Amino acid sequence: MPKSTGYAKVNGLEMYYERHGVEDGTKRPLVLLHGGGLTVGLTFAAVLPALAGSRPVVAPELQGHGHTADIDREISVPLLASDVVALLDELGIPRADFLGFSLGGLTALEVAARHPERVGRLVLAATQYSQDGYHEEVRTLDHTSPRLPSQDDFQEMADAYAATAPHPERFQVLLAKCTGAAHAPLPWTADDLRALSSPTLLVIGDTDFVRVEHAAEMRRLIPDARLAVLPATTHMNLMRRTALLLPLLDEFLD
């Protein structure tokens, strides 16, 4: 359970956020950014207790996700990143570490590229920097592929949305907006990655949306980057592989 929850007025949104963990001033806050169509709980429930055990954690829900109602605006990576920076301003957090998964990873990468002074350490989970980083069956939405979410995964997403959203009937609208955001041209070049100043940990599953070769290219481009490929791991269970993931996160963030 979060230590506290709240809503912040940012860029026309009533943005929901949770605060967890120990706030004693000794560690930078860790910002958790969930995946598209997901919620804080659905993305991070497996790792959040351990991550919050020794550091402050801020976990917002992005536009149209979970408790944060949608507004008459497209969902795009630059807009989501702008919302997150505005939330940090509202909370008085000048600099934080980031852990972003999937759409949340794209958002974290945009914050690091455009606002490097706001980012300490950066964890990008299941995150690409260009659309050719996805496997072909992900780009074409071949739902027979084991890389894509299963019907059970979609049901879990729908249930989490119904339990939290101000307008539960808008789940399909959210999915359509997220699909558009995930498949839109991404705003970075190789030079943007070369210019990143935050130590970066890249994490993907071996059966993820993102190609291993693309993640390896990102590791080469980002000056201070590490790459972990988790075995027997799909996109949807990446953040649940606690036995493999938590030691990596603890070592990197600490």
Side-chain angles (χ1 to χ4, degrees):
M1 295 293 293
K3 185 166 67 174
S4 66
T5 63
Y7 289 85
K9 294 181 183 297
V10 296
N11 300 336
L13 289 174
E14 293 278 347
M15 192 174 193
Y16 171 84
Y17 63 92
E18 300 177 2
R19 303 194 82 151
H20 299 255
V22 178
E23 300 192 34
D24 59 6
T26 63
K27 289 189 178 179
R28 276 191 303 266
L30 173 64
V31 176
L32 302 181
L33 299 178
H34 60 77
L38 304 176
T39 61
V40 169
L42 200 51
T43 303
F44 295 115
V47 296
L48 211 164
L51 292 175
S54 60
R55 62 178 61 82
V57 172
V58 177
E61 289 181 330
L62 303 173
Q63 176 191 340
H65 290 75
H67 299 78
T68 301
D70 201 4
I71 57 175
D72 186 14
R73 186 185 78 172
E74 67 174 343
I75 289 178
S76 73
V77 170
L79 289 174
L80 296 178
S82 175
D83 296 339
V84 171
V85 171
L87 173 66
L88 295 183
D89 289 342
E90 285 290 316
L91 298 179
I93 298 173
R95 198 161 188 250
D97 296 332
F98 281 77
L99 165 55
F101 168 73
S102 196
L103 182 61
L106 299 178
T107 303
L109 177 53
E110 176 70 356
V111 175
R114 309 305 174 204
H115 305 276
E117 74 284 356
R118 307 304 295 266
V119 181
R121 289 180 171 263
L122 178 65
V123 182
L124 302 176
T127 303
Q128 82 280 17
Y129 86 95
S130 64
Q131 290 298 8
D132 66 358
Y134 272 169
H135 286 275
E136 178 64 24
E137 61 263 41
V138 176
R139 292 202 303 270
T140 59
L141 294 178
D142 176 3
H143 289 286
T144 65
S145 170
R147 298 184 187 279
L148 290 174
S150 67
Q151 286 301 313
D152 287 345
D153 291 326
F154 278 117
Q155 188 60 56
E156 193 173 30
M157 293 160 67
D159 291 344
Y161 186 83
T164 57
H167 303 287
E169 73 280 1
R170 290 182 59 84
F171 181 62
Q172 292 302 324
V173 174
L174 172 65
L175 288 186
K177 281 189 166 186
C178 288
T179 299
H183 293 273
L186 295 173
W188 312 295
T189 66
D191 285 340
D192 288 321
L193 267 65
R194 293 187 185 101
L196 289 177
S197 56
S198 300
T200 302
L201 173 62
L202 306 162
V203 184
I204 65 169
D206 62 355
T207 314
D208 211 322
F209 290 3
V210 179
R211 296 184 295 111
V212 172
E213 298 84 358
H214 182 80
E217 178 189 0
M218 292 179 68
R219 190 204 64 78
R220 289 192 296 270
L221 290 170
I222 299 171
D224 188 8
R226 311 175 192 180
L227 170 62
V229 181
L230 304 191
T233 302
T234 66
H235 185 80
M236 294 303 294
N237 71 8
L238 178 62
M239 297 306 302
R240 300 170 181 174
R241 299 280 277 144
T242 54
L244 297 174
L245 190 56
L246 284 173
L248 294 171
L249 296 176
D250 283 340
E251 179 184 356
F252 179 72
L253 293 171
D254 290 341

mmCIF file of all heavy atoms in Angstrom, residues 42-82:
data_model
loop_
_atom_site.group_PDB
_atom_site.id
_atom_site.type_symbol
_atom_site.label_atom_id
_atom_site.label_comp_id
_atom_site.label_asym_id
_atom_site.label_seq_id
_atom_site.Cartn_x
_atom_site.Cartn_y
_atom_site.Cartn_z
ATOM 1 N N LEU A 42 -0.336 -2.874 -11.594
ATOM 2 C CA LEU A 42 -0.189 -3.967 -12.549
ATOM 3 C C LEU A 42 1.236 -4.068 -13.078
ATOM 4 O O LEU A 42 1.734 -5.158 -13.356
ATOM 5 C CB LEU A 42 -1.175 -3.783 -13.706
ATOM 6 C CG LEU A 42 -1.518 -5.010 -14.538
ATOM 7 C CD1 LEU A 42 -1.951 -6.184 -13.668
ATOM 8 C CD2 LEU A 42 -2.616 -4.667 -15.543
ATOM 9 N N THR A 43 1.918 -2.938 -13.199
ATOM 10 C CA THR A 43 3.294 -2.959 -13.696
ATOM 11 C C THR A 43 4.301 -3.290 -12.605
ATOM 12 O O THR A 43 5.212 -4.090 -12.808
ATOM 13 C CB THR A 43 3.660 -1.598 -14.316
ATOM 14 O OG1 THR A 43 2.741 -1.271 -15.346
ATOM 15 C CG2 THR A 43 5.072 -1.630 -14.895
ATOM 16 N N PHE A 44 4.154 -2.695 -11.420
ATOM 17 C CA PHE A 44 5.249 -2.695 -10.453
ATOM 18 C C PHE A 44 4.968 -3.424 -9.143
ATOM 19 O O PHE A 44 5.826 -3.417 -8.252
ATOM 20 C CB PHE A 44 5.647 -1.248 -10.130
ATOM 21 C CG PHE A 44 6.210 -0.498 -11.302
ATOM 22 C CD1 PHE A 44 5.530 0.598 -11.822
ATOM 23 C CD2 PHE A 44 7.404 -0.873 -11.876
ATOM 24 C CE1 PHE A 44 6.043 1.304 -12.903
ATOM 25 C CE2 PHE A 44 7.934 -0.185 -12.957
ATOM 26 C CZ PHE A 44 7.251 0.911 -13.473
ATOM 27 N N ALA A 45 3.820 -4.067 -9.002
ATOM 28 C CA ALA A 45 3.484 -4.670 -7.712
ATOM 29 C C ALA A 45 4.553 -5.642 -7.226
ATOM 30 O O ALA A 45 4.831 -5.727 -6.022
ATOM 31 C CB ALA A 45 2.137 -5.382 -7.800
ATOM 32 N N ALA A 46 5.169 -6.383 -8.138
ATOM 33 C CA ALA A 46 6.132 -7.403 -7.723
ATOM 34 C C ALA A 46 7.429 -6.803 -7.198
ATOM 35 O O ALA A 46 8.080 -7.386 -6.324
ATOM 36 C CB ALA A 46 6.431 -8.344 -8.892
ATOM 37 N N VAL A 47 7.821 -5.630 -7.726
ATOM 38 C CA VAL A 47 9.123 -5.069 -7.355
ATOM 39 C C VAL A 47 9.014 -3.876 -6.404
ATOM 40 O O VAL A 47 9.989 -3.507 -5.758
ATOM 41 C CB VAL A 47 9.921 -4.631 -8.610
ATOM 42 C CG1 VAL A 47 10.242 -5.831 -9.480
ATOM 43 C CG2 VAL A 47 9.172 -3.569 -9.409
ATOM 44 N N LEU A 48 7.829 -3.286 -6.297
ATOM 45 C CA LEU A 48 7.701 -2.035 -5.554
ATOM 46 C C LEU A 48 8.059 -2.168 -4.067
ATOM 47 O O LEU A 48 8.778 -1.312 -3.533
ATOM 48 C CB LEU A 48 6.294 -1.467 -5.730
ATOM 49 C CG LEU A 48 6.160 0.057 -5.692
ATOM 50 C CD1 LEU A 48 4.823 0.491 -6.267
ATOM 51 C CD2 LEU A 48 6.334 0.635 -4.317
ATOM 52 N N PRO A 49 7.603 -3.208 -3.361
ATOM 53 C CA PRO A 49 7.971 -3.291 -1.935
ATOM 54 C C PRO A 49 9.475 -3.285 -1.700
ATOM 55 O O PRO A 49 9.961 -2.609 -0.779
ATOM 56 C CB PRO A 49 7.330 -4.603 -1.493
ATOM 57 C CG PRO A 49 6.185 -4.801 -2.436
ATOM 58 C CD PRO A 49 6.669 -4.290 -3.754
ATOM 59 N N ALA A 50 10.212 -4.011 -2.519
ATOM 60 C CA ALA A 50 11.660 -4.047 -2.340
ATOM 61 C C ALA A 50 12.301 -2.711 -2.709
ATOM 62 O O ALA A 50 13.199 -2.222 -2.008
ATOM 63 C CB ALA A 50 12.265 -5.171 -3.184
ATOM 64 N N LEU A 51 11.842 -2.098 -3.802
ATOM 65 C CA LEU A 51 12.412 -0.826 -4.224
ATOM 66 C C LEU A 51 12.154 0.267 -3.194
ATOM 67 O O LEU A 51 12.979 1.148 -2.985
ATOM 68 C CB LEU A 51 11.829 -0.411 -5.577
ATOM 69 C CG LEU A 51 12.224 -1.279 -6.774
ATOM 70 C CD1 LEU A 51 11.481 -0.836 -8.021
ATOM 71 C CD2 LEU A 51 13.731 -1.233 -7.005
ATOM 72 N N ALA A 52 10.980 0.223 -2.546
ATOM 73 C CA ALA A 52 10.620 1.245 -1.564
ATOM 74 C C ALA A 52 11.188 0.960 -0.184
ATOM 75 O O ALA A 52 11.008 1.764 0.733
ATOM 76 C CB ALA A 52 9.096 1.366 -1.485
ATOM 77 N N GLY A 53 11.889 -0.154 -0.034
ATOM 78 C CA GLY A 53 12.394 -0.516 1.284
ATOM 79 C C GLY A 53 13.455 0.417 1.814
ATOM 80 O O GLY A 53 13.631 0.522 3.036
ATOM 81 N N SER A 54 14.174 1.101 0.903
ATOM 82 C CA SER A 54 15.274 1.943 1.378
ATOM 83 C C SER A 54 15.354 3.285 0.664
ATOM 84 O O SER A 54 16.358 3.983 0.783
ATOM 85 C CB SER A 54 16.607 1.204 1.196
ATOM 86 O OG SER A 54 16.816 0.896 -0.167
ATOM 87 N N ARG A 55 14.318 3.638 -0.107
ATOM 88 C CA ARG A 55 14.360 4.905 -0.845
ATOM 89 C C ARG A 55 12.945 5.437 -1.038
ATOM 90 O O ARG A 55 11.982 4.670 -1.004
ATOM 91 C CB ARG A 55 15.013 4.699 -2.218
ATOM 92 C CG ARG A 55 14.252 3.727 -3.109
ATOM 93 C CD ARG A 55 14.875 3.572 -4.479
ATOM 94 N NE ARG A 55 16.230 3.062 -4.436
ATOM 95 C CZ ARG A 55 16.556 1.771 -4.315
ATOM 96 N NH1 ARG A 55 15.605 0.853 -4.166
ATOM 97 N NH2 ARG A 55 17.806 1.395 -4.319
ATOM 98 N N PRO A 56 12.791 6.736 -1.251
ATOM 99 C CA PRO A 56 11.475 7.265 -1.595
ATOM 100 C C PRO A 56 11.115 6.928 -3.035
ATOM 101 O O PRO A 56 11.971 6.970 -3.923
ATOM 102 C CB PRO A 56 11.636 8.779 -1.396
ATOM 103 C CG PRO A 56 13.091 9.031 -1.559
ATOM 104 C CD PRO A 56 13.813 7.792 -1.100
ATOM 105 N N VAL A 57 9.865 6.592 -3.258
ATOM 106 C CA VAL A 57 9.378 6.227 -4.588
ATOM 107 C C VAL A 57 8.155 7.093 -4.911
ATOM 108 O O VAL A 57 7.267 7.264 -4.082
ATOM 109 C CB VAL A 57 8.994 4.737 -4.651
ATOM 110 C CG1 VAL A 57 8.297 4.402 -5.969
ATOM 111 C CG2 VAL A 57 10.232 3.857 -4.474
ATOM 112 N N VAL A 58 8.140 7.627 -6.119
ATOM 113 C CA VAL A 58 6.986 8.347 -6.649
ATOM 114 C C VAL A 58 6.503 7.588 -7.872
ATOM 115 O O VAL A 58 7.292 7.322 -8.800
ATOM 116 C CB VAL A 58 7.337 9.794 -7.028
ATOM 117 C CG1 VAL A 58 6.132 10.502 -7.649
ATOM 118 C CG2 VAL A 58 7.844 10.562 -5.822
ATOM 119 N N ALA A 59 5.226 7.224 -7.887
ATOM 120 C CA ALA A 59 4.680 6.402 -8.974
ATOM 121 C C ALA A 59 3.405 7.053 -9.507
ATOM 122 O O ALA A 59 2.333 6.884 -8.925
ATOM 123 C CB ALA A 59 4.401 4.988 -8.484
ATOM 124 N N PRO A 60 3.505 7.831 -10.588
ATOM 125 C CA PRO A 60 2.303 8.438 -11.168
ATOM 126 C C PRO A 60 1.609 7.489 -12.128
ATOM 127 O O PRO A 60 2.192 6.493 -12.584
ATOM 128 C CB PRO A 60 2.869 9.647 -11.922
ATOM 129 C CG PRO A 60 4.239 9.216 -12.336
ATOM 130 C CD PRO A 60 4.734 8.293 -11.247
ATOM 131 N N GLU A 61 0.356 7.802 -12.432
ATOM 132 C CA GLU A 61 -0.348 7.140 -13.523
ATOM 133 C C GLU A 61 -0.540 8.157 -14.641
ATOM 134 O O GLU A 61 -1.016 9.278 -14.418
ATOM 135 C CB GLU A 61 -1.660 6.526 -13.039
ATOM 136 C CG GLU A 61 -1.366 5.318 -12.158
ATOM 137 C CD GLU A 61 -2.564 4.577 -11.612
ATOM 138 O OE1 GLU A 61 -3.614 5.206 -11.386
ATOM 139 O OE2 GLU A 61 -2.427 3.353 -11.353
ATOM 140 N N LEU A 62 -0.124 7.779 -15.825
ATOM 141 C CA LEU A 62 -0.039 8.694 -16.958
ATOM 142 C C LEU A 62 -1.424 9.000 -17.529
ATOM 143 O O LEU A 62 -2.423 8.392 -17.135
ATOM 144 C CB LEU A 62 0.854 8.076 -18.044
ATOM 145 C CG LEU A 62 2.280 7.709 -17.596
ATOM 146 C CD1 LEU A 62 3.007 6.956 -18.691
ATOM 147 C CD2 LEU A 62 3.056 8.948 -17.179
ATOM 148 N N GLN A 63 -1.475 9.943 -18.429
ATOM 149 C CA GLN A 63 -2.734 10.388 -19.041
ATOM 150 C C GLN A 63 -3.622 9.214 -19.455
ATOM 151 O O GLN A 63 -3.213 8.331 -20.196
ATOM 152 C CB GLN A 63 -2.442 11.231 -20.281
ATOM 153 C CG GLN A 63 -3.690 11.651 -21.048
ATOM 154 C CD GLN A 63 -3.366 12.254 -22.398
ATOM 155 O OE1 GLN A 63 -2.250 12.704 -22.637
ATOM 156 N NE2 GLN A 63 -4.323 12.263 -23.312
ATOM 157 N N GLY A 64 -4.850 9.203 -18.945
ATOM 158 C CA GLY A 64 -5.832 8.197 -19.332
ATOM 159 C C GLY A 64 -5.643 6.841 -18.689
ATOM 160 O O GLY A 64 -6.430 5.926 -18.956
ATOM 161 N N HIS A 65 -4.639 6.683 -17.865
ATOM 162 C CA HIS A 65 -4.315 5.399 -17.249
ATOM 163 C C HIS A 65 -4.742 5.388 -15.783
ATOM 164 O O HIS A 65 -4.536 6.358 -15.059
ATOM 165 C CB HIS A 65 -2.816 5.111 -17.324
ATOM 166 C CG HIS A 65 -2.324 4.815 -18.697
ATOM 167 N ND1 HIS A 65 -2.146 5.790 -19.646
ATOM 168 C CD2 HIS A 65 -1.979 3.635 -19.291
ATOM 169 C CE1 HIS A 65 -1.692 5.230 -20.763
ATOM 170 N NE2 HIS A 65 -1.578 3.936 -20.570
ATOM 171 N N GLY A 66 -5.286 4.253 -15.354
ATOM 172 C CA GLY A 66 -5.601 4.073 -13.956
ATOM 173 C C GLY A 66 -6.494 5.178 -13.427
ATOM 174 O O GLY A 66 -7.532 5.503 -14.004
ATOM 175 N N HIS A 67 -6.072 5.796 -12.335
ATOM 176 C CA HIS A 67 -6.861 6.835 -11.676
ATOM 177 C C HIS A 67 -6.844 8.168 -12.425
ATOM 178 O O HIS A 67 -7.638 9.057 -12.105
ATOM 179 C CB HIS A 67 -6.329 7.083 -10.259
ATOM 180 C CG HIS A 67 -6.392 5.900 -9.349
ATOM 181 N ND1 HIS A 67 -5.489 4.862 -9.404
ATOM 182 C CD2 HIS A 67 -7.260 5.585 -8.349
ATOM 183 C CE1 HIS A 67 -5.770 3.966 -8.470
ATOM 184 N NE2 HIS A 67 -6.836 4.379 -7.811
ATOM 185 N N THR A 68 -5.916 8.347 -13.361
ATOM 186 C CA THR A 68 -5.779 9.620 -14.069
ATOM 187 C C THR A 68 -6.722 9.657 -15.263
ATOM 188 O O THR A 68 -6.535 8.918 -16.237
ATOM 189 C CB THR A 68 -4.335 9.834 -14.539
ATOM 190 O OG1 THR A 68 -3.449 9.812 -13.412
ATOM 191 C CG2 THR A 68 -4.192 11.177 -15.251
ATOM 192 N N ALA A 69 -7.730 10.502 -15.195
ATOM 193 C CA ALA A 69 -8.713 10.582 -16.277
ATOM 194 C C ALA A 69 -8.061 11.093 -17.560
ATOM 195 O O ALA A 69 -7.119 11.893 -17.536
ATOM 196 C CB ALA A 69 -9.863 11.505 -15.875
ATOM 197 N N ASP A 70 -8.568 10.636 -18.691
ATOM 198 C CA ASP A 70 -8.101 11.102 -19.992
ATOM 199 C C ASP A 70 -8.595 12.526 -20.226
ATOM 200 O O ASP A 70 -9.542 12.994 -19.588
ATOM 201 C CB ASP A 70 -8.622 10.166 -21.087
ATOM 202 C CG ASP A 70 -7.802 10.262 -22.372
ATOM 203 O OD1 ASP A 70 -6.781 10.994 -22.385
ATOM 204 O OD2 ASP A 70 -8.179 9.601 -23.354
ATOM 205 N N ILE A 71 -7.940 13.224 -21.131
ATOM 206 C CA ILE A 71 -8.390 14.535 -21.578
ATOM 207 C C ILE A 71 -8.395 14.539 -23.096
ATOM 208 O O ILE A 71 -7.916 13.590 -23.741
ATOM 209 C CB ILE A 71 -7.501 15.678 -21.030
ATOM 210 C CG1 ILE A 71 -6.042 15.470 -21.438
ATOM 211 C CG2 ILE A 71 -7.638 15.788 -19.522
ATOM 212 C CD1 ILE A 71 -5.121 16.625 -21.027
ATOM 213 N N ASP A 72 -8.938 15.595 -23.683
ATOM 214 C CA ASP A 72 -9.059 15.687 -25.136
ATOM 215 C C ASP A 72 -7.705 16.067 -25.731
ATOM 216 O O ASP A 72 -7.458 17.217 -26.111
ATOM 217 C CB ASP A 72 -10.131 16.713 -25.508
ATOM 218 C CG ASP A 72 -10.397 16.722 -27.019
ATOM 219 O OD1 ASP A 72 -9.966 15.774 -27.703
ATOM 220 O OD2 ASP A 72 -11.022 17.692 -27.499
ATOM 221 N N ARG A 73 -6.820 15.087 -25.765
ATOM 222 C CA ARG A 73 -5.446 15.279 -26.214
ATOM 223 C C ARG A 73 -4.907 13.929 -26.621
ATOM 224 O O ARG A 73 -5.226 12.916 -26.001
ATOM 225 C CB ARG A 73 -4.632 15.860 -25.055
ATOM 226 C CG ARG A 73 -3.215 16.259 -25.384
ATOM 227 C CD ARG A 73 -2.455 16.721 -24.141
ATOM 228 N NE ARG A 73 -2.001 15.589 -23.324
ATOM 229 C CZ ARG A 73 -1.183 15.697 -22.275
ATOM 230 N NH1 ARG A 73 -0.755 16.884 -21.885
ATOM 231 N NH2 ARG A 73 -0.809 14.626 -21.603
ATOM 232 N N GLU A 74 -4.100 13.888 -27.655
ATOM 233 C CA GLU A 74 -3.470 12.622 -28.003
ATOM 234 C C GLU A 74 -2.533 12.186 -26.879
ATOM 235 O O GLU A 74 -2.116 12.999 -26.046
ATOM 236 C CB GLU A 74 -2.671 12.771 -29.304
ATOM 237 C CG GLU A 74 -1.450 13.690 -29.157
ATOM 238 C CD GLU A 74 -0.591 13.720 -30.396
ATOM 239 O OE1 GLU A 74 -0.732 12.822 -31.238
ATOM 240 O OE2 GLU A 74 0.244 14.634 -30.524
ATOM 241 N N ILE A 75 -2.238 10.899 -26.853
ATOM 242 C CA ILE A 75 -1.181 10.399 -25.982
ATOM 243 C C ILE A 75 0.080 10.298 -26.833
ATOM 244 O O ILE A 75 0.101 9.603 -27.853
ATOM 245 C CB ILE A 75 -1.553 9.033 -25.381
ATOM 246 C CG1 ILE A 75 -2.673 9.199 -24.346
ATOM 247 C CG2 ILE A 75 -0.338 8.392 -24.721
ATOM 248 C CD1 ILE A 75 -3.138 7.892 -23.725
ATOM 249 N N SER A 76 1.105 11.022 -26.438
ATOM 250 C CA SER A 76 2.374 10.986 -27.157
ATOM 251 C C SER A 76 3.507 10.999 -26.146
ATOM 252 O O SER A 76 3.347 11.491 -25.014
ATOM 253 C CB SER A 76 2.515 12.174 -28.116
ATOM 254 O OG SER A 76 2.763 13.379 -27.399
ATOM 255 N N VAL A 77 4.649 10.507 -26.550
ATOM 256 C CA VAL A 77 5.794 10.434 -25.641
ATOM 257 C C VAL A 77 6.226 11.824 -25.168
ATOM 258 O O VAL A 77 6.430 12.033 -23.962
ATOM 259 C CB VAL A 77 6.950 9.665 -26.307
ATOM 260 C CG1 VAL A 77 8.239 9.789 -25.491
ATOM 261 C CG2 VAL A 77 6.570 8.190 -26.473
ATOM 262 N N PRO A 78 6.362 12.829 -26.058
ATOM 263 C CA PRO A 78 6.752 14.159 -25.550
ATOM 264 C C PRO A 78 5.744 14.746 -24.572
ATOM 265 O O PRO A 78 6.134 15.382 -23.578
ATOM 266 C CB PRO A 78 6.858 15.003 -26.828
ATOM 267 C CG PRO A 78 7.176 14.012 -27.905
ATOM 268 C CD PRO A 78 6.385 12.793 -27.538
ATOM 269 N N LEU A 79 4.445 14.558 -24.815
ATOM 270 C CA LEU A 79 3.443 15.096 -23.895
ATOM 271 C C LEU A 79 3.493 14.385 -22.542
ATOM 272 O O LEU A 79 3.402 15.025 -21.493
ATOM 273 C CB LEU A 79 2.054 14.975 -24.509
ATOM 274 C CG LEU A 79 1.757 15.903 -25.695
ATOM 275 C CD1 LEU A 79 0.399 15.568 -26.297
ATOM 276 C CD2 LEU A 79 1.814 17.363 -25.269
ATOM 277 N N LEU A 80 3.640 13.051 -22.557
ATOM 278 C CA LEU A 80 3.740 12.320 -21.294
ATOM 279 C C LEU A 80 4.963 12.760 -20.494
ATOM 280 O O LEU A 80 4.899 12.919 -19.267
ATOM 281 C CB LEU A 80 3.802 10.815 -21.563
ATOM 282 C CG LEU A 80 2.576 10.173 -22.218
ATOM 283 C CD1 LEU A 80 2.827 8.693 -22.456
ATOM 284 C CD2 LEU A 80 1.320 10.373 -21.377
ATOM 285 N N ALA A 81 6.087 12.961 -21.187
ATOM 286 C CA ALA A 81 7.298 13.407 -20.491
ATOM 287 C C ALA A 81 7.103 14.796 -19.895
ATOM 288 O O ALA A 81 7.543 15.069 -18.769
ATOM 289 C CB ALA A 81 8.479 13.405 -21.458
ATOM 290 N N SER A 82 6.430 15.664 -20.634
ATOM 291 C CA SER A 82 6.140 16.999 -20.111
ATOM 292 C C SER A 82 5.280 16.924 -18.854
ATOM 293 O O SER A 82 5.495 17.672 -17.888
ATOM 294 C CB SER A 82 5.436 17.833 -21.180
ATOM 295 O OG SER A 82 5.034 19.085 -20.676
#
